[in-house]
Amino acid sequence: MLAFHRTAIFEAFMSPGAPTPTKVLAARLAFFFGLWLMIAGWTAKDLPVGLVTAGGAVWISLRLLPPGHAQPRLAPLAALVLRFLRGSIFAGFDVARRALSPRLDLNPGFVACPLTLPSGESRNAFCLYQSLQPGTLPTGAEGGTLQVHALDRSQPVAANLAADEALFKKATGYE
């Protein structure tokens, strides 16, 4: 029995290609159990409760979000996270500067940005990611165009969104 688990775990994490059910299950269980340990602590008496809770969270996550076709890539994902953090910091300071300025330096409006992601989960995930950026907010998509509300239309909103989309596609394996 132990040999089977070692083989299954090894195959789940080392096999190339599409995510197997074992790989998805193991990754989600590790994520939710790690989250439990961060919240509840590392005491031995809480580990069984954490495992049961993580198992329940995995079951719910599989029901609400079945495994998709995305194959995250570590290096582009790290680059996307760093770009997000850098963009959030710079945009946050820009929004604060504009809000505290005696003369409002705003040029609000909508910018039509072309999208190459197909409609569905990947586009929704990208719009969710974009909605976290200060100073811009995706408001709707029609066809291959995303309408973005921006505090300053003179900024390169469409170019930044295109760069974010390209990196997002690389990070999630949708290119």
Side-chain angles (χ1 to χ4, degrees):
M1 183 77 170
L2 185 60
F4 169 74
H5 286 326
R6 284 185 184 165
T7 304
I9 290 171
F10 178 77
E11 287 176 5
F13 286 104
M14 302 308 278
S15 65
T20 63
T22 307
K23 183 186 274 188
V24 170
L25 182 72
R28 290 186 187 195
L29 186 63
F31 171 76
F32 287 121
F33 188 62
L35 187 62
W36 172 268
L37 290 175
M38 286 189 295
I39 293 171
W42 294 76
T43 60
K45 66 179 182 169
D46 291 335
L47 292 182
V49 175
L51 282 171
V52 170
T53 303
V58 168
W59 181 77
I60 291 170
S61 77
L62 289 172
R63 296 287 304 218
L64 295 176
L65 186 63
H69 301 290
Q71 296 179 0
R73 297 179 187 150
L74 191 57
L77 188 59
L80 182 67
V81 168
L82 290 175
R83 180 176 170 84
F84 173 77
L85 292 174
R86 183 182 64 87
S88 292
I89 291 169
F90 285 127
F93 278 118
D94 183 53
V95 169
R97 179 189 61 81
R98 291 173 192 271
L100 298 174
S101 176
R103 61 177 184 89
L104 289 177
D105 188 18
L106 299 176
N107 183 14
F110 291 93
V111 179
C113 303
L115 280 179
T116 58
L117 282 167
S119 294
E121 292 175 358
S122 59
R123 183 182 281 188
N124 291 344
F126 176 70
C127 288
L128 177 65
Y129 165 78
Q130 280 300 120
S131 72
L132 299 174
Q133 291 291 340
T136 60
L137 181 66
T139 59
E142 290 183 25
T145 305
L146 179 67
Q147 292 292 325
V148 177
H149 183 270
L151 289 180
D152 188 357
R153 290 180 295 159
S154 66
Q155 297 291 319
V157 175
N160 288 342
L161 190 126
D164 283 345
E165 182 186 24
L167 193 53
F168 181 85
K169 287 170 67 174
K170 281 184 185 176
T172 57
Y174 279 107
E175 59 178 0

